[in-house]
RNA sequence: CGGGGCGUAGCGCAGUCCGGUUUAGCGCACCGCGUUUGGGACGCGGGGGUCGGCGGUUCAAAUCCGCCCGCCCCGACCA
């Protein structure tokens, strides 16, 4: 490609809306342009990189038995109504009506369509296992798109779907994806970890997320440096420190004026925060058939812990959760700041599982200015549910080995879900097993965001001058720069011939043939970040050939004219080898 | 949805408080001519704006007031 004809141009200054590195560089280098919040165009350079990423994905999917298909972006609402997600999912789903008034859905994912296809195509256990995938546009109307390509509303996802006769088969395909995903990201040069994750609205049994660790990430991960336990904080468990055993004492009311927070209370009574019980009030939206109802939830945790809303949502099977307003709290008979689990009505009480083992806590008295000492679960109050609802914090003890865990931020570039039979049952996707019995197909679903992957690669590979792209993802392998002074036709001629010869040899070349000063050309080459730069100029020709510089190295060297093609090919092979060496077998771990 | 910020040429900005010599300006980018060519060149000459939109106040609005829209950041949210 000639830069004089390239559709996109580089920007000298960073657009004001871009804050994070990958967004700034992808804009400045002319990879992407924004149309609206969370909606982007991908210009030729980005398109080529995405195609490379997608082809890596295709190869790895095909290698584990995947068959590429292409499913629609527009779905009739009925299939989403059948699985219930039409009702469960709120404004995130794009809905519209076609010309005859039928409700339609913009694809956010394709479990429904897959199950519908399976109903028609799969009838026998002899056909299973199967795996299909496609790479296609998704619309998810996220309330707050941000950070360039990291979090967008319209995006391209590779989503694959495994189909099995039983859960053992699902496990095999799940593990195959687990390894394939590592291969894909490693081939893109992206370091990732797999963490156990929330199954969320997908439902299902087990899920992992593939995370690129970065401070700009929006997920918090709990990572144990002792044994390697790793989980999204939404599901991370931890060893809760036990309190010393005590016999239950008599409840005793104590005056605690103006002590509305746990910290104040603990200091006032001169006790550790772990000797208090904390009340958190929430309003949960609980699905009931095609409708929902609101449920007041009273969550009780020990004072030294924080509520994990994801765990609570899962524990009570809520669709949504929000903090309760003060008047709602008063309406159920509680006193904000002095709330007690004792004696409330029409309230779902959920108690963290460490509470029954934490004797003689200080809790609110449901009376302004007073708390109760020696409150004991079981004797003084009962819960509707006792379950782990506490959020793991940086420094908490690993559930497996007890070592300290670190909290780190990450960006989710892929996920894998064991769905089970939720969608196949709802859609009637059944097959006959060897006994002639009708059974729902066991499904898994697996996603990778290709645009987000590109953004993470940009986030990982850059320096103060621009992108430094891995050869497997770079839109071109070689950036050919020609510097021509007045009357210098030799450099132009050599560069033109080299441009032709390199392409004939199968090398992908971006040729900067523009009438620009050397500074502009070098700076643009650095900004775009192709792995190899070749410079043809009077200076290089006098030295005997063409200058070669790797983007990831500071020094350059002159290659003799007749050696250029083989040297460039060797250089590309060496870069590719560096990437290939990252592709290694990984141990599957459930957490 | 709550809080904050911003909206003037393709990009970056000044002008807005305090309305009127500004014909709306500067840098970059763009077009023409000439010079220049190893790290974001120079001279001369040009083109490009419903000042986010609508309404209001006024003799007069980029500037004051109201409503709306859009974008960014923090939070809530997130398959």
């Amino acid at each position: 490609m000639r830069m004089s004809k390239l559709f996109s141009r580089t920007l000298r200054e960073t657009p004001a809306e871009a804050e994070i590195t990958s967004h700034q560089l992808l804009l400045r280098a002319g990879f992407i342009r924004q149309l609206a919040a969370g909606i982007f165009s991908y210009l030729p350079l980005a398109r080529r990189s995405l195609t490379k990423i997608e082809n890596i994905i295709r190869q790895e999917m095909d290698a584990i038995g995947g068959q590429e298909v292409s499913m629609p972006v527009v779905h009739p609402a009925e299939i989403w109504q059948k699985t219930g997600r039409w009702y469960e999912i709120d404004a995130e789903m794009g809905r519209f009506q076609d010309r005859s008034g039928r409700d339609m859905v913009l694809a956010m994912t394709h479990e429904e369509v897959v199950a519908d296809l399976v109903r028609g195509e799969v009838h026998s256990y002899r056909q299973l296992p199967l795996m299909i995938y496609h790479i296609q546009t998704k619309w998810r109307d996220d309330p707050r798109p941000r950070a360039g390509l990291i979090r967008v509303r319209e995006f391209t996802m590779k989503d694959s779907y495994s189909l099995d006769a039983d859960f053992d088969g699902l496990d095999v395909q799940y593990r195959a994806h687990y390894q394939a995903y590592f291969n894909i990201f490693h081939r893109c040069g992206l370091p990732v970890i797999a963490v156990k994750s929330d199954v969320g609205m997908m439902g299902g049994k087990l899920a992992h997320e593939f995370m690129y660790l970065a401070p700009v990430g929006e997920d918090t991960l709990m990572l144990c440096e002792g044994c390697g336990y790793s989980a999204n904080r939404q599901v991370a468990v931890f060893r809760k420190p036990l309190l010393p055993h005590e016999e239950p004492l008599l409840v005793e009311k104590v005056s605690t004026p103006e002590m509305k927070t746990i910290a104040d209370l603990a200091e006032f009574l001169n006790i550790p925060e772990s000797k208090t019980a904390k009340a958190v009030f929430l309003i949960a939206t609980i699905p009931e058939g095609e409708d929902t109802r609101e449920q007041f939830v009273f969550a009780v945790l020990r004072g030294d812990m924080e509520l994990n809303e994801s765990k609570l949502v899962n524990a009570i099977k809520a669709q949504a959760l929000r903090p309760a307003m003060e008047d709602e709290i008063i309406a159920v008979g509680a006193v904000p700041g002095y709330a007690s689990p004792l004696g409330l009505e029409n309230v779902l009480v959920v108690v963290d599982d460490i509470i029954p083992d934490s004797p003689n806590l200080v809790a609110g008295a449901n009376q302004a200015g007073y708390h109760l000492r020696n409150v004991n679960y079981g004797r003084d109050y009962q819960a509707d549910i006792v379950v782990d609802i506490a959020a793991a914090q940086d420094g908490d003890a690993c559930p497996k080995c007890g070592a300290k865990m670190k909290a780190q931020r990450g960006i989710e570039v892929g996920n894998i879900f064991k769905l089970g039979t939720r969608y196949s049952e709802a859609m009637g996707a059944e097959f006959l097993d060897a006994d002639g019995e009708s059974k729902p197909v066991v499904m898994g679903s697996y996603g990778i965001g290709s645009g987000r992957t590109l953004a993470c690669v940009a986030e990982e590979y850059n320096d103060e001058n621009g992108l430094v792209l891995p050869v497997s993802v770079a839109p071109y392998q070689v950036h050919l720069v020609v510097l021509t002074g007045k009357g210098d036709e030799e450099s132009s001629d050599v560069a033109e011939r080299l441009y032709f010869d390199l392409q004939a040899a199968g090398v992908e070349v971006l040729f900067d043939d523009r009438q620009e000063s050397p500074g502009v050309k070098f700076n643009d080459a650095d900004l775009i970040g192709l792995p190899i730069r070749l410079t043809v100029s009077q200076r290089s020709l006098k030295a005997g050939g063409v200058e070669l510089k790797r983007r990831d190295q500071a020094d350059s060297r002159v290659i003799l004219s007749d050696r250029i093609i083989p040297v460039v090919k060797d250089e590309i092979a060496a870069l590719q080898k560096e990437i290939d060496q990252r592709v290694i077998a990984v141990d599957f771990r459930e957490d």
Side-chain angles (χ1 to χ4, degrees):
Chain A
M1 183 69 213
R2 291 175 185 272
M3 270 187 88
S4 61
K5 297 291 181 194
L6 187 64
F7 180 74
S8 57
R9 34 187 43 258
T10 56
L11 302 178
R12 209 174 271 211
E13 281 167 300
T14 305
E17 75 266 16
E19 285 206 351
I20 74 161
T21 309
S22 62
H23 190 195
Q24 292 179 345
L25 291 177
L26 290 172
L27 279 173
R28 284 192 54 213
F31 279 59
I32 58 172
R33 295 290 180 252
Q34 183 168 344
L35 178 64
I39 304 177
F40 285 84
S41 293
Y42 300 85
L43 303 185
L45 295 176
R47 188 55 261 171
R48 286 185 65 97
S49 284
L50 290 170
T51 298
K52 291 194 171 185
I53 292 169
E54 289 166 4
N55 283 338
I56 289 170
I57 293 172
R58 284 192 175 91
Q59 288 167 15
E60 295 292 337
M61 288 294 100
D62 292 350
I64 59 171
Q67 302 180 52
E68 187 169 4
V69 297
S70 195
M71 291 178 275
V73 187
V74 173
H75 307 169
E78 291 87 76
I79 60 172
W80 291 82
Q81 288 162 349
K82 265 189 196 165
T83 62
R85 289 159 117 184
W86 172 265
Y87 312 102
E88 289 168 19
I89 298 170
D90 195 19
E92 195 127 347
M93 180 184 282
R95 302 167 211 247
F96 68 98
Q97 295 187 336
D98 70 7
R99 62 196 300 160
S100 49
R102 274 186 285 264
D103 285 322
M104 307 300 276
V105 172
L106 287 176
M108 357 171 56
T109 176
H110 283 78
E111 283 77 14
E112 280 80 2
V113 177
V114 169
D116 181 72
L117 284 172
V118 166
R119 193 169 46 178
E121 307 305 320
V122 178
H123 305 288
S124 160
Y125 74 98
R126 293 179 202 277
Q127 293 172 275
L128 300 172
L130 286 169
M131 192 264 274
I132 58 174
Y133 71 96
H134 71 341
I135 299 173
Q136 197 243 28
T137 303
K138 305 284 187 276
W139 172 260
R140 297 183 186 180
D141 197 356
D142 198 288
R144 193 159 103 76
R146 57 173 287 272
L149 292 190
I150 302 292
R151 186 154 148 181
V152 292
R153 296 192 291 169
E154 183 189 296
F155 59 99
T156 303
M157 184 164 93
K158 182 288 297 179
D159 39 326
S160 49
Y161 302 87
S162 62
L163 309 167
D164 283 282
D166 53 35
F167 280 84
D168 288 343
L170 171 61
D171 194 55
V172 170
Q173 296 219 56
Y174 188 86
R175 286 168 188 248
H177 272 88
Y178 187 90
Q179 176 67 52
Y181 272 33
F182 274 107
N183 294 351
I184 289 164
F185 294 119
H186 287 157
R187 287 177 65 183
C188 293
L190 195 66
V192 293
I193 61 168
V195 303
K196 190 173 182 179
S197 69
D198 192 9
V199 294
M201 292 293 282
M202 283 294 197
K205 315 274 176 212
L206 177 68
H208 285 86
E209 291 166 341
F210 287 76
M211 291 283 181
Y212 164 63
L213 296 180
V216 297
E218 349 200 47
D219 286 283
T220 301
L221 317 172
M222 301 307 301
L223 308 176
C224 173
E225 289 178 329
C227 69
Y229 172 82
S230 58
N232 194 310
R233 185 150 84 150
Q234 292 178 325
V235 297
V237 291
F238 60 105
R239 277 190 204 170
K240 297 171 184 172
L242 280 170
L243 299 180
H245 180 75
E246 290 174 16
E247 290 305 318
L249 304 173
L250 284 179
V251 174
E252 173 188 335
K253 194 190 248 184
V254 53
S255 170
T256 52
E258 297 305 312
M259 295 299 144
K260 290 192 173 186
T261 69
I262 293 292
D264 289 346
L265 179 68
E267 195 184 333
F268 180 76
L269 296 176
N270 195 26
I271 53 172
E273 292 186 358
S274 58
K275 288 293 284 180
T276 67
K278 173 195 291 193
V280 185
F281 305 100
L282 305 119
I283 305 289
T285 308
I286 313 274
E288 271 192 340
E290 296 186 4
D291 274 323
T292 57
R293 68 181 166 88
E294 293 210 322
Q295 170 68 53
F296 192 98
V297 178
F298 187 118
V300 182
L301 294 125
R302 225 165 59 186
D304 55 335
M305 295 176 195
E306 299 286 330
L307 174 68
N308 179 327
E309 291 192 14
S310 299
K311 288 182 181 177
L312 181 56
V313 163
N314 290 336
I316 63 177
K317 299 182 171 51
Q319 177 182 342
L321 205 58
R322 64 171 171 84
M325 308 283 192
E326 191 147 319
D327 53 331
E328 291 169 324
I329 297 172
I330 293 164
V332 297
V335 181
Y338 296 94
S340 164
L342 284 66
L344 298 180
E345 287 181 10
N346 298 325
V347 166
L348 185 70
V349 180
V350 183
V351 166
D352 184 59
D353 59 4
I354 195 68
I355 292 285
D357 295 323
S358 301
N360 299 327
L361 299 180
V362 172
N366 263 344
Q367 185 181 347
Y370 292 92
H371 281 82
L372 300 175
R373 283 186 192 272
N374 304 326
V375 171
N376 286 278
Y377 179 80
R379 181 192 70 181
D380 302 322
Y381 66 104
Q382 300 285 336
D384 297 290
I385 303 171
V386 179
V387 67
D388 171 31
I389 52 168
Q393 312 275 357
D394 189 60
D396 279 345
C398 171
K400 301 272 169 181
C401 74
K404 276 195 175 180
M405 293 191 292
K406 268 177 63 177
Q408 279 202 51
R409 306 278 276 180
I411 301 169
E412 180 188 345
V413 286
N415 54 42
I416 56 178
F417 286 92
K418 282 191 179 178
L419 295 177
T421 56
R422 172 182 171 180
Y423 297 96
S424 47
E425 275 178 37
M427 299 290 298
E430 299 188 335
F431 66 97
L432 285 185
D433 72 5
D435 305 324
E437 201 178 325
S438 198
K439 285 184 175 171
V441 169
V442 179
M443 290 175 59
S445 85
Y446 315 85
I448 290 180
S450 50
R452 190 181 271 185
T453 299
L454 176 61
C456 289
V457 168
E459 197 66 35
E460 174 76 6
Y461 293 101
N462 62 76
D463 63 16
E464 64 279 7
N465 297 318
L467 297 166
V468 188
L469 293 172
V471 69
S472 53
V473 173
Y476 295 88
Q477 296 160 332
V478 170
H479 198 122
L480 174 61
V481 174
V482 60
L483 307 178
T484 50
K486 179 78 174 169
D488 175 11
E489 272 159 34
E490 189 188 6
S491 297
S492 291
D493 290 347
V494 171
E496 288 285 343
R497 203 175 325 122
L498 185 54
Y499 176 51
F500 181 85
D501 291 345
L502 282 166
Q503 292 184 108
V507 178
E508 301 163 2
V509 190
L510 183 63
F511 177 26
D512 193 347
D513 59 338
R514 298 173 301 169
Q515 294 297 310
E516 288 288 353
S517 67
V520 169
K521 291 189 169 191
F522 288 142
N523 280 302
D524 277 350
D526 286 347
L527 182 58
I528 293 169
L530 304 183
I532 295 168
R533 188 184 80 195
L534 297 176
T535 307
V536 181
S537 67
Q538 277 301 312
R539 186 196 284 187
S540 78
L541 293 175
K542 275 201 192 92
V546 173
E547 179 194 276
L548 183 148
K549 181 182 174 298
R550 267 175 59 158
R551 181 63 180 87
D552 62 347
Q553 293 174 357
D555 52 324
S556 63
R557 60 197 160 109
V558 172
I559 313 298
L560 296 180
S561 297
D562 58 349
R563 293 285 305 148
I564 295 169
I565 303 279
V567 169
V568 166
K569 295 197 89 164
D570 284 353
E571 211 44 72
I572 292 168
L575 287 161
Q576 186 59 52
K577 195 175 172 194
E578 287 176 28
I579 293 284
D580 291 342
Q581 280 168 349
R582 297 163 174 255
V583 180
I584 48 164
V586 293
D587 291 330
F588 177 81
R589 45 181 307 155
E590 190 134 329
D591 47 53

